[in-house]
Amino acid sequence: MEKKKYAVIQVIDQLHAGGAERVLVGWANILSEKGHSSAVLTTVSPGILRKDIHQEVSFFNLNRQWKWNPFAMYRMIQILKKYDIIHVHSSHNLRYVWLAAKLFRLHKPLFFHEHFYFEKISWHRRIIYPKTMMICVSKFVRDWAIQNQLSTEKKAFLLPNIILPQKIDIISNTARKTNSIIQIVTTGNIAPRKNYEFILEVFKELKKQLFENFHLTIIGSVADKKYFHYIQNKILLDGLEKQVEFIHDCANIQPILHQFDIALHASKFETGPLVLIEYLAKKIPFLTFQTGQVSEQIKNELPEFVLEHYDPILWVSAIQKIISADKKLLHKRMESVFEKNFSVDQYYAKGMHIYSQGFPE
């Protein structure tokens, strides 16, 4: 089956504006462009990212009202049987597909795309994960799975995330700024793991040390209301309300990234993250803490982008160096790193190799 153009269906509950969902949409579109029969099945509802799936990709929605409805499970299995590859995202969806496969006798390998890791490993993960071909978004996730006996060396595969760069007509969008204000952006759903309080500490230190004007834009939906109120109060207490703004309804940041000079990413726990690849694609220099697969991939060639400590003074110093760097040279280096590590053809080849491992000769 090495030369076969696999028919692939991916399964998820709904296509919210999240990292796993965006990986699914990108892969569905790549498969379609490469000549595969590509499909997506949502068990609950289509979600906001449904519109980003190419029209050539088949789309199914179970519109499941009750999670364990056997009729919905049966309908899903009848759809899945038509495809060579069943590619599932997120552990709760894997549990659902696995149970349905047992009940309605689906005898095909399950490819499970693990985007995260868990300190506490539930019983169903211990039972189901070893029965799948596991696709891990980072070396850390793969090592975690093997060390916790959730998979083996032969059944756990590394597939670092990529994004599909969009061709943006800047003329039809907000034009690149012409004033002297340095625009900073940070992106991610507003929750404690994104560490926005540290971003604010860096921003406060930046304004204290330098005489230039700075503005911070935080792009992300509110995932934790209590934490969002905490961040809002911190902004008020630090007197930053005129220099900090929120954008909550942006599911696609690529069309607006040209408006910013530099990005910050201070999350303590990441497996990707996709947003750093988007910054690279759009040549927006950034600073990130050394967590996740992307920082591992770029740190040797763009060492000034990856920081080892959470110290606002060190981050301000790093920002100053990036702002004063030769922009043409920096953009050329970023373009080179992007092409080397995040090309579509490289990603596609790895994906096909992983799929082939589910069909031993």
Side-chain angles (χ1 to χ4, degrees):
M1 294 188 68
E2 291 180 1
K3 296 181 179 179
K4 178 180 174 67
K5 288 282 187 181
Y6 299 114
V8 182
I9 186 166
Q10 297 182 84
V11 182
I12 200 165
D13 48 353
Q14 47 199 337
L15 293 172
H16 290 316
E21 292 83 355
R22 289 165 62 210
V23 167
L24 180 153
V25 170
W27 184 233
N29 292 340
I30 289 171
L31 288 169
S32 178
E33 290 171 0
K34 296 291 186 179
H36 294 261
S37 174
S38 176
V40 173
L41 184 148
T42 53
T43 59
V44 179
S45 65
I48 192 171
L49 294 184
R50 164 68 178 96
K51 61 179 174 43
D52 294 334
I53 296 176
H54 293 176
Q55 62 182 8
E56 296 83 8
V57 177
S58 299
F59 187 85
F60 306 93
N61 177 45
L62 287 185
N63 193 27
R64 185 187 71 198
Q65 301 299 314
W66 170 45
K67 186 172 185 179
W68 306 115
N69 182 339
F71 298 105
M73 285 185 170
Y74 177 78
R75 282 192 292 120
M76 177 180 70
I77 294 301
Q78 297 316 301
I79 295 170
L80 299 185
K81 283 181 177 179
K82 299 174 183 177
Y83 292 85
D84 303 310
I85 303 292
I86 301 163
H87 185 153
V88 187
H89 298 259
S90 299
S91 61
H92 57 284
N93 297 314
L94 176 65
R95 185 168 71 244
Y96 184 75
V97 172
W98 183 81
L99 179 59
K102 290 294 182 185
L103 290 175
F104 299 105
R105 299 182 181 181
L106 176 68
H107 303 296
K108 291 188 177 184
L110 296 180
F111 292 82
F112 173 54
H113 207 134
E114 182 57 278
H115 299 262
F116 310 103
Y117 67 94
F118 305 89
E119 292 184 5
K120 294 182 180 180
I121 302 172
S122 59
W123 63 267
H124 60 83
R125 292 190 178 99
R126 292 204 177 277
I127 292 173
I128 303 173
Y129 279 30
K131 296 177 173 63
T132 70
M133 306 298 288
M134 196 168 177
I135 302 171
C136 306
V137 300
S138 72
K139 183 178 182 298
F140 185 90
V141 171
R142 184 176 184 270
D143 291 345
W144 163 83
I146 294 170
Q147 289 166 9
N148 286 280
Q149 298 182 330
L150 299 175
S151 191
T152 64
E153 291 280 351
K154 291 184 178 181
K155 293 179 70 176
F157 303 92
L158 176 62
L159 186 65
N161 292 335
I162 66 160
I163 59 100
L164 299 179
Q166 299 168 9
K167 294 180 180 179
I168 307 299
D169 180 5
I170 293 180
I171 296 174
S172 65
N173 291 279
T174 305
R176 187 179 289 274
K177 65 184 184 61
T178 56
N179 58 37
S180 61
I181 297 175
I182 296 173
Q183 297 288 346
I184 303 172
V185 66
T186 184
T187 305
N189 290 338
I190 299 172
R193 68 180 294 165
K194 295 301 181 181
N195 202 15
Y196 282 121
E197 61 269 35
F198 178 74
I199 296 287
L200 292 175
E201 286 299 315
V202 172
F203 189 68
K204 186 169 68 172
E205 182 68 27
L206 190 65
K207 291 184 66 61
K208 184 172 76 174
Q209 284 195 33
L210 305 179
F211 295 105
E212 293 149 293
N213 290 320
F214 296 91
H215 184 272
L216 173 65
T217 301
I218 300 173
I219 303 175
S221 60
V222 178
D224 185 317
K225 289 183 179 180
K226 184 177 179 181
Y227 181 72
F228 177 52
H229 292 317
Y230 163 69
I231 293 299
Q232 284 181 310
N233 288 334
K234 183 170 177 56
I235 290 169
L236 291 172
L237 288 172
D238 291 339
L240 300 173
E241 62 271 22
K242 291 183 179 179
Q243 291 90 35
V244 180
E245 70 172 307
F246 290 91
I247 298 176
H248 298 305
D249 58 353
C250 182
N252 179 13
I253 65 169
Q254 288 194 45
I256 65 171
L257 282 181
H258 64 275
Q259 301 172 32
F260 301 98
D261 298 289
I262 188 170
L264 304 180
H265 189 82
S267 179
K268 297 177 181 179
F269 309 103
E270 289 286 359
T271 53
L274 282 178
V275 69
L276 298 185
I277 310 175
E278 289 184 302
Y279 295 151
L280 269 179
K282 295 304 173 184
K283 300 183 181 66
I284 306 300
F286 59 86
L287 291 179
T288 181
F289 182 65
Q290 59 170 19
T291 181
Q293 183 67 26
V294 176
S295 63
E296 185 69 25
Q297 289 172 273
I298 70 168
K299 66 181 182 181
N300 290 332
E301 291 159 292
L302 292 168
E304 67 269 45
F305 285 18
V306 182
L307 299 179
E308 299 179 2
H309 304 287
Y310 283 113
D311 182 335
I313 295 175
L314 292 178
W315 279 60
V316 168
S317 177
I319 290 170
Q320 204 168 6
K321 288 178 182 177
I322 287 176
I323 289 173
S324 59
D326 184 316
K327 285 184 173 54
K328 287 186 178 180
L329 179 59
L330 189 59
H331 288 174
K332 191 172 182 179
R333 289 171 60 207
M334 292 177 72
E335 184 177 9
S336 173
V337 170
F338 181 85
E339 290 300 323
K340 176 182 176 182
N341 293 282
F342 307 106
S343 76
V344 168
D345 288 342
Q346 182 186 69
Y347 187 74
Y348 172 73
K350 288 179 180 177
M352 288 303 102
H353 171 72
I354 293 170
Y355 285 163
S356 72
Q357 302 308 296
F359 300 94
E361 296 181 359

mmCIF file with all atom_site columns, all heavy atoms in Angstrom, residues 23 109 174 195 290 299 302 354:
data_model
loop_
_atom_site.group_PDB
_atom_site.id
_atom_site.type_symbol
_atom_site.label_atom_id
_atom_site.label_alt_id
_atom_site.label_comp_id
_atom_site.label_asym_id
_atom_site.label_entity_id
_atom_site.label_seq_id
_atom_site.pdbx_PDB_ins_code
_atom_site.Cartn_x
_atom_site.Cartn_y
_atom_site.Cartn_z
_atom_site.occupancy
_atom_site.B_iso_or_equiv
_atom_site.pdbx_formal_charge
_atom_site.auth_seq_id
_atom_site.auth_comp_id
_atom_site.auth_asym_id
_atom_site.auth_atom_id
_atom_site.pdbx_PDB_model_num
ATOM 1  N N   . VAL A 1 23  ? -4.589 22.305 13.259 1.00 0.00 ? 23  VAL A N   1
ATOM 2  C CA  . VAL A 1 23  ? -3.760 21.245 12.686 1.00 0.00 ? 23  VAL A CA  1
ATOM 3  C C   . VAL A 1 23  ? -4.620 20.347 11.811 1.00 0.00 ? 23  VAL A C   1
ATOM 4  O O   . VAL A 1 23  ? -4.251 19.996 10.685 1.00 0.00 ? 23  VAL A O   1
ATOM 5  C CB  . VAL A 1 23  ? -3.069 20.431 13.794 1.00 0.00 ? 23  VAL A CB  1
ATOM 6  C CG1 . VAL A 1 23  ? -2.460 19.148 13.224 1.00 0.00 ? 23  VAL A CG1 1
ATOM 7  C CG2 . VAL A 1 23  ? -1.984 21.261 14.469 1.00 0.00 ? 23  VAL A CG2 1
ATOM 8  N N   . PRO A 1 109 ? -7.035 0.104  11.784 1.00 0.00 ? 109 PRO A N   1
ATOM 9  C CA  . PRO A 1 109 ? -6.153 0.765  12.750 1.00 0.00 ? 109 PRO A CA  1
ATOM 10 C C   . PRO A 1 109 ? -6.609 2.201  13.024 1.00 0.00 ? 109 PRO A C   1
ATOM 11 O O   . PRO A 1 109 ? -7.085 2.888  12.109 1.00 0.00 ? 109 PRO A O   1
ATOM 12 C CB  . PRO A 1 109 ? -4.783 0.738  12.072 1.00 0.00 ? 109 PRO A CB  1
ATOM 13 C CG  . PRO A 1 109 ? -5.084 0.599  10.612 1.00 0.00 ? 109 PRO A CG  1
ATOM 14 C CD  . PRO A 1 109 ? -6.341 -0.211 10.522 1.00 0.00 ? 109 PRO A CD  1
ATOM 15 N N   . THR A 1 174 ? -5.797 46.259 7.000  1.00 0.00 ? 174 THR A N   1
ATOM 16 C CA  . THR A 1 174 ? -5.246 47.445 7.647  1.00 0.00 ? 174 THR A CA  1
ATOM 17 C C   . THR A 1 174 ? -3.791 47.601 7.245  1.00 0.00 ? 174 THR A C   1
ATOM 18 O O   . THR A 1 174 ? -2.995 46.681 7.411  1.00 0.00 ? 174 THR A O   1
ATOM 19 C CB  . THR A 1 174 ? -5.345 47.322 9.176  1.00 0.00 ? 174 THR A CB  1
ATOM 20 O OG1 . THR A 1 174 ? -6.709 47.061 9.504  1.00 0.00 ? 174 THR A OG1 1
ATOM 21 C CG2 . THR A 1 174 ? -4.896 48.590 9.861  1.00 0.00 ? 174 THR A CG2 1
ATOM 22 N N   . ASN A 1 195 ? 0.186  32.539 30.848 1.00 0.00 ? 195 ASN A N   1
ATOM 23 C CA  . ASN A 1 195 ? 1.125  33.378 31.603 1.00 0.00 ? 195 ASN A CA  1
ATOM 24 C C   . ASN A 1 195 ? 1.107  34.848 31.174 1.00 0.00 ? 195 ASN A C   1
ATOM 25 O O   . ASN A 1 195 ? 2.150  35.486 31.033 1.00 0.00 ? 195 ASN A O   1
ATOM 26 C CB  . ASN A 1 195 ? 2.540  32.808 31.457 1.00 0.00 ? 195 ASN A CB  1
ATOM 27 C CG  . ASN A 1 195 ? 3.473  33.242 32.572 1.00 0.00 ? 195 ASN A CG  1
ATOM 28 O OD1 . ASN A 1 195 ? 3.029  33.734 33.612 1.00 0.00 ? 195 ASN A OD1 1
ATOM 29 N ND2 . ASN A 1 195 ? 4.760  33.064 32.376 1.00 0.00 ? 195 ASN A ND2 1
ATOM 30 N N   . GLN A 1 290 ? 11.622 28.756 26.473 1.00 0.00 ? 290 GLN A N   1
ATOM 31 C CA  . GLN A 1 290 ? 12.048 27.522 25.811 1.00 0.00 ? 290 GLN A CA  1
ATOM 32 C C   . GLN A 1 290 ? 11.168 26.331 26.218 1.00 0.00 ? 290 GLN A C   1
ATOM 33 O O   . GLN A 1 290 ? 11.567 25.452 26.959 1.00 0.00 ? 290 GLN A O   1
ATOM 34 C CB  . GLN A 1 290 ? 13.519 27.229 26.095 1.00 0.00 ? 290 GLN A CB  1
ATOM 35 C CG  . GLN A 1 290 ? 13.878 27.083 27.567 1.00 0.00 ? 290 GLN A CG  1
ATOM 36 C CD  . GLN A 1 290 ? 15.297 26.559 27.741 1.00 0.00 ? 290 GLN A CD  1
ATOM 37 O OE1 . GLN A 1 290 ? 16.123 26.624 26.832 1.00 0.00 ? 290 GLN A OE1 1
ATOM 38 N NE2 . GLN A 1 290 ? 15.594 26.020 28.899 1.00 0.00 ? 290 GLN A NE2 1
ATOM 39 N N   . LYS A 1 299 ? 15.956 27.058 18.084 1.00 0.00 ? 299 LYS A N   1
ATOM 40 C CA  . LYS A 1 299 ? 16.850 27.731 19.041 1.00 0.00 ? 299 LYS A CA  1
ATOM 41 C C   . LYS A 1 299 ? 18.302 27.821 18.582 1.00 0.00 ? 299 LYS A C   1
ATOM 42 O O   . LYS A 1 299 ? 19.024 28.740 18.985 1.00 0.00 ? 299 LYS A O   1
ATOM 43 C CB  . LYS A 1 299 ? 16.764 27.072 20.413 1.00 0.00 ? 299 LYS A CB  1
ATOM 44 C CG  . LYS A 1 299 ? 17.290 25.654 20.485 1.00 0.00 ? 299 LYS A CG  1
ATOM 45 C CD  . LYS A 1 299 ? 17.123 25.102 21.906 1.00 0.00 ? 299 LYS A CD  1
ATOM 46 C CE  . LYS A 1 299 ? 17.686 23.701 22.017 1.00 0.00 ? 299 LYS A CE  1
ATOM 47 N NZ  . LYS A 1 299 ? 17.493 23.161 23.390 1.00 0.00 ? 299 LYS A NZ  1
ATOM 48 N N   . LEU A 1 302 ? 18.019 30.651 15.564 1.00 0.00 ? 302 LEU A N   1
ATOM 49 C CA  . LEU A 1 302 ? 17.480 31.935 16.023 1.00 0.00 ? 302 LEU A CA  1
ATOM 50 C C   . LEU A 1 302 ? 17.557 31.987 17.550 1.00 0.00 ? 302 LEU A C   1
ATOM 51 O O   . LEU A 1 302 ? 16.541 32.108 18.236 1.00 0.00 ? 302 LEU A O   1
ATOM 52 C CB  . LEU A 1 302 ? 16.030 32.096 15.554 1.00 0.00 ? 302 LEU A CB  1
ATOM 53 C CG  . LEU A 1 302 ? 15.805 32.258 14.040 1.00 0.00 ? 302 LEU A CG  1
ATOM 54 C CD1 . LEU A 1 302 ? 14.325 32.106 13.701 1.00 0.00 ? 302 LEU A CD1 1
ATOM 55 C CD2 . LEU A 1 302 ? 16.329 33.609 13.549 1.00 0.00 ? 302 LEU A CD2 1
ATOM 56 N N   . ILE A 1 354 ? 3.985  7.685  8.384  1.00 0.00 ? 354 ILE A N   1
ATOM 57 C CA  . ILE A 1 354 ? 3.280  7.232  9.592  1.00 0.00 ? 354 ILE A CA  1
ATOM 58 C C   . ILE A 1 354 ? 2.076  6.380  9.211  1.00 0.00 ? 354 ILE A C   1
ATOM 59 O O   . ILE A 1 354 ? 1.862  5.295  9.779  1.00 0.00 ? 354 ILE A O   1
ATOM 60 C CB  . ILE A 1 354 ? 2.848  8.444  10.439 1.00 0.00 ? 354 ILE A CB  1
ATOM 61 C CG1 . ILE A 1 354 ? 4.075  9.151  11.008 1.00 0.00 ? 354 ILE A CG1 1
ATOM 62 C CG2 . ILE A 1 354 ? 1.893  8.015  11.561 1.00 0.00 ? 354 ILE A CG2 1
ATOM 63 C CD1 . ILE A 1 354 ? 3.772  10.493 11.662 1.00 0.00 ? 354 ILE A CD1 1
#
